């Protein structure tokens, strides 16, 4: 009698699969460095406006003081919005359970934030401004000033990201069983250290 066994699997996960299995923790760390650097720029700009009393055009953050064209370039702002949506999308498969839910909330909000920046970029590139304005204007800029609006956007994307990462690094037993990413090993080390 012959027994048949399944042939060994020779397929390997694609680049997104590899990112969300073996490199998820490293990719999350790099992504968060980029996010925090961007936050620092916004917070410095906010301090320049409300703490130092500088006018909005003079308040350019740290990089903008050295490279003023960066802050006035819609390409730079759009580029960051694009990096955010790509990062949130590519890293999402590594999340499970509550962490994935919160990460998805951040992705959905960032999708709209990205659309707003795309509108600004297209207006800057074409010279055709929406809503009869003299400068590129996003939809919600009709109601809120640009600086405050983008502080708000960054906040409402950042908060669910942080909650998602919190749950991702502190999963329930059921969520831990479903995790396949490299963060699982960090969770095991954390649990082992806490048990000692």
């Amino acid at each position: 009698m012959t027994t048949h066994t399944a042939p060994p699997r020779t397929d390997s996960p694609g680049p997104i699969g590899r990112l969300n299995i073996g490199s998820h923790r490293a990719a999350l760390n790099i992504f968060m460095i980029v996010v925090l650097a961007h936050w620092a720029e916004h917070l410095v700009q906010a301090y320049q406006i409300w703490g130092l009393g500088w006018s909005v055009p003079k308040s350019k953050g740290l990089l903008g003081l050295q490279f003023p064209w960066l802050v006035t370039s819609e390409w730079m702002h759009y580029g960051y919005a694009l990096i955010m949506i790509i990062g949130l999308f590519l890293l999402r498969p590594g999340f499970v359970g509550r962490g994935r839910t919160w990460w998805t909330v951040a992705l959905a909000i960032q999708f709209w934030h990205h659309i707003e920046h795309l509108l600004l970029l297209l207006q800057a590139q074409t010279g055709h401004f929406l809503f009869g304005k003299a400068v590129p204007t996003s939809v919600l800029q009709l109601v809120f000033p640009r600086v405050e609006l983008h502080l708000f956007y960054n906040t409402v994307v950042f908060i669910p990201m942080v909650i998602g990462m919190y749950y991702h690094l502190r999963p329930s037993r059921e969520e831990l069983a479903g995790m396949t990413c490299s963060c699982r090993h960090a969770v095991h080390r954390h649990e082992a250290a806490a048990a000692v």
Side-chain angles (χ1 to χ4, degrees):
M1 182 171 135
T2 326
T3 59
H4 295 283
T5 59
R9 290 188 63 166
T10 56
D11 61 332
S12 64
I16 294 175
R18 285 192 299 275
L19 176 70
N20 284 288
I21 296 172
S23 303
H24 197 245
R25 185 169 174 82
L28 275 175
N29 288 338
I30 292 167
F31 185 59
M32 286 310 288
I33 288 168
V34 170
V35 170
L36 291 173
H38 183 252
W39 251 117
E41 282 295 311
H42 275 282
L43 293 177
V44 167
Q45 182 188 37
Y47 177 71
Q48 290 167 342
I49 294 168
W50 296 297
L52 299 176
W54 295 5
S55 67
V56 172
K58 285 182 74 176
S59 304
K60 299 182 183 304
L62 290 175
L63 285 175
L65 291 177
Q66 296 299 313
F67 310 101
W69 59 270
L70 275 176
V71 175
T72 58
S73 166
E74 289 299 343
W75 277 108
M76 192 239 358
H77 295 288
Y78 177 73
Y80 178 74
L82 190 60
I83 287 169
M84 282 294 294
I85 199 158
I86 289 170
L88 287 164
F89 177 77
L90 290 179
L91 294 169
R92 185 174 173 268
F95 285 81
V96 297
R98 297 167 299 169
R100 185 179 181 116
T101 299
W102 283 102
W103 195 262
T104 302
V105 168
L107 174 62
I109 298 167
Q110 181 59 30
F111 179 77
W112 174 251
H113 188 189
H114 166 263
I115 296 296
E116 291 267 86
H117 276 293
L118 181 60
L119 283 173
L120 292 167
L121 176 68
L122 292 173
Q123 291 172 72
Q125 296 305 301
T126 64
H128 297 290
F129 307 131
L130 297 176
F131 316 113
K133 301 292 184 179
V135 295
T137 305
S138 67
V139 174
L140 288 183
Q141 254 180 277
L142 295 172
V143 182
F144 304 103
R146 183 168 178 156
V147 172
E148 290 87 341
L149 176 61
H150 289 280
L151 277 171
F152 172 76
Y153 273 138
N154 287 305
T155 301
V156 298
V157 171
F158 186 68
I159 289 171
M161 274 179 61
V162 169
I163 295 170
M165 288 193 58
Y166 176 85
Y167 283 127
H168 184 63
L169 296 175
R170 288 165 183 78
S172 67
R173 289 193 190 283
E174 296 79 25
E175 291 167 340
L176 183 61
M179 286 177 74
T180 59
C181 73
S182 55
C183 303
R184 178 184 171 96
H185 304 297
V187 171
H188 277 301
R189 281 194 302 272
H190 175 73
E191 286 180 341
V196 174

